[in-house]
Amino acid sequence: MKIINLSERPEFQETVTDWLWKAFGSENSRAFFESVVQSSLRGADLPQTFIALEGDTLAGTVGLWRCDLISRQDLTPWLAALYVDEGYRSRGLGQELQAFVLEHSRRSGFSELYLYAEFTGYYERLGWKYIGDALDYPDKPVRVYQQFL
């Protein structure tokens, strides 16, 4: 498995957009995810989109975003939009994608990274520290996690 920046293989941008929209979005939010993916291709420090490839097959994606939770704009940056294609689940790819973003963030000079989830157990096992609850827009309770780099 190889993890690279989406900018190295931009032909996967539509698939990544669709994955994120279907996994994390609502009926009318595809344009939002398309915008984030497009922004990550413009060469800015953030956001960035990374993809996992097995040969030439897209297996997963993860983002490094300036902010992923509107109610906690005081925290930055965020590991965001972690998605593994169904055929590649339960193989540790989610953990590999997280490790890649953690190392990339450390090399980029960040000292900590955040994420949020609606569930418990998974991120704690991978070294993330639960730091409190917050609201995802408009009113969905989520758990906020932090990891020092």
Side-chain angles (χ1 to χ4, degrees):
M1 197 68 63
K2 180 179 178 182
I3 301 173
I4 61 172
N5 196 300
L6 177 62
S7 63
E8 296 178 46
R9 297 291 303 270
E11 67 269 24
F12 290 114
Q13 64 184 308
E14 289 299 317
T15 301
V16 169
T17 297
D18 285 339
W19 278 356
L20 300 182
W21 171 49
K22 290 173 183 170
F24 306 114
S26 59
E27 179 182 329
N28 59 357
S29 65
R30 187 183 189 283
F32 167 78
F33 291 101
E34 182 176 39
S35 174
V36 172
V37 170
Q38 287 292 319
S39 293
S40 73
L41 294 174
R42 292 190 185 112
D45 289 342
L46 297 174
Q48 293 190 32
T49 300
F50 303 100
I51 57 173
L53 296 173
E54 186 171 68
D56 278 335
T57 302
L58 186 61
T61 186
V62 66
L64 177 60
W65 295 4
R66 188 171 319 281
C67 183
D68 189 29
L69 191 60
I70 294 170
S71 66
R72 291 304 311 263
Q73 293 185 47
D74 57 314
L75 306 176
T76 193
W78 292 74
L79 184 147
L82 175 63
Y83 180 84
V84 175
D85 190 43
E86 286 185 28
Y88 291 92
R89 292 181 186 166
S90 300
R91 298 185 190 183
L93 181 55
Q95 187 172 351
E96 286 182 50
L97 287 162
Q98 286 179 63
F100 182 90
V101 170
L102 287 165
E103 178 59 23
H104 177 83
S105 299
R106 187 189 63 71
R107 284 192 326 266
S108 297
F110 296 113
S111 59
E112 55 202 15
L113 195 59
Y114 299 91
L115 66 77
Y116 77 89
E118 296 177 40
F119 50 86
T120 63
Y122 177 72
Y123 291 109
E124 292 90 340
R125 285 193 310 269
L126 299 174
W128 292 89
K129 180 184 175 195
Y130 167 73
I131 61 169
D133 295 325
L135 290 176
D136 188 14
Y137 183 84
D139 59 1
K140 182 173 30 171
V142 295
R143 298 173 56 85
V144 179
Y145 295 88
Q146 176 184 46
Q147 191 159 141
F148 292 100
L149 306 175

